[in-house]
Amino acid sequence: MSLIIPSKQKASDLPEQGLAPTREQIVRHLRHESVVAERATLMDHHPFGAILVGPDQETVLIEQGNVDTVNHAEAVLARIAAINFTPKYLWSCTLYTTVEPCCMCAGTAYWANIGRVVFGMTEERLLQATGDHAENPTMSVSSRYVFDHCQKRVDLIGPVVEVEEEIMQVQREFWKLRWD
């Protein structure tokens, strides 16, 4: 694996995020990454998943399930992407994630130069599934707030109503077992 050192770029030097995903692509990719999240539970990891889709809005470049409380699916994926693709290329890619990225994951996606993030359900809805469980002390800092305070404009899409309940069901089932 080689390390790609990003060139110095100003936010004004970056192109637009490129081809926008269609609604059908958004729903399909969110369902795909939801399978990645469910796969993470088979390794006793929390049910979060992320995929990185290329500029064509079809090609899945990376899949990543949650690892642990510090290595969230989105952050691990963004770090892997940052060492394997150029910042310019990543600016036209889309990161899909089951649940709205926490402030750590939103920041990591931003620093990796991923230009678009799509999430299925909000962090607020996640809190409804997890309650105050010690394994998931959610933060009340939305990814929108994080991205609104960045120098580059990351395109943020979500929540996506077509898949929100499907994602919530996976979360409820997982966290119910953790409470029992």
Side-chain angles (χ1 to χ4, degrees):
M1 191 179 284
S2 62
L3 176 64
I4 299 169
I5 300 174
S7 61
K8 291 187 178 182
Q9 292 179 316
K10 294 186 282 183
S12 60
D13 294 339
L14 292 169
E16 288 297 313
Q17 282 93 340
L19 187 63
T22 66
R23 196 66 179 184
E24 182 273 329
Q25 288 169 319
I26 288 171
V27 170
R28 183 167 29 93
H29 289 312
L30 284 170
R31 286 189 171 131
H32 176 159
E33 57 80 34
S34 193
V35 171
V36 174
E38 289 185 69
R39 194 177 331 142
T41 66
L42 298 175
M43 296 179 281
D44 200 34
H45 298 177
H46 295 170
F48 302 104
I51 63 171
L52 183 68
V53 174
D56 65 358
Q57 298 306 321
E58 284 295 330
T59 306
V60 176
L61 303 169
I62 304 172
E63 295 182 351
Q64 181 63 55
N66 200 63
V67 178
D68 57 34
T69 6
V70 190
N71 294 292
H72 296 179
E74 305 92 330
V76 172
L77 181 145
R79 288 182 191 106
I80 292 168
I83 60 175
N84 285 284
F85 301 102
T86 66
K88 183 177 180 182
Y89 183 79
L90 287 173
W91 192 246
S92 296
C93 292
T94 303
L95 186 155
Y96 287 85
T97 180
T98 46
V99 178
E100 178 182 11
C102 70
C103 55
M104 173 183 70
C105 292
T108 306
Y110 172 80
W111 287 111
N113 211 52
I114 297 170
R116 182 178 296 109
V117 174
V118 178
F119 64 91
M121 78 175 200
T122 64
E123 183 90 359
E124 188 176 312
R125 286 283 322 267
L126 174 64
L127 184 58
Q128 294 171 10
T130 63
D132 63 352
H133 198 286
E135 288 184 34
N136 195 51
T138 55
M139 303 170 94
S140 61
V141 179
S142 73
S143 57
R144 189 159 315 279
Y145 177 86
V146 173
F147 291 136
D148 283 350
H149 289 83
C150 296
Q151 290 184 14
K152 302 176 289 189
R153 188 189 154 279
V154 173
D155 188 17
L156 182 65
I157 300 169
V160 177
V161 70
E162 293 93 329
V163 296
E164 196 171 9
E165 280 309 312
E166 295 168 37
I167 293 169
M168 184 60 157
Q169 187 59 34
V170 170
Q171 294 293 329
R172 279 187 188 119
E173 288 173 15
F174 179 85
W175 294 102
K176 181 182 181 295
L177 294 173
R178 289 298 219 231
W179 280 106
D180 291 343

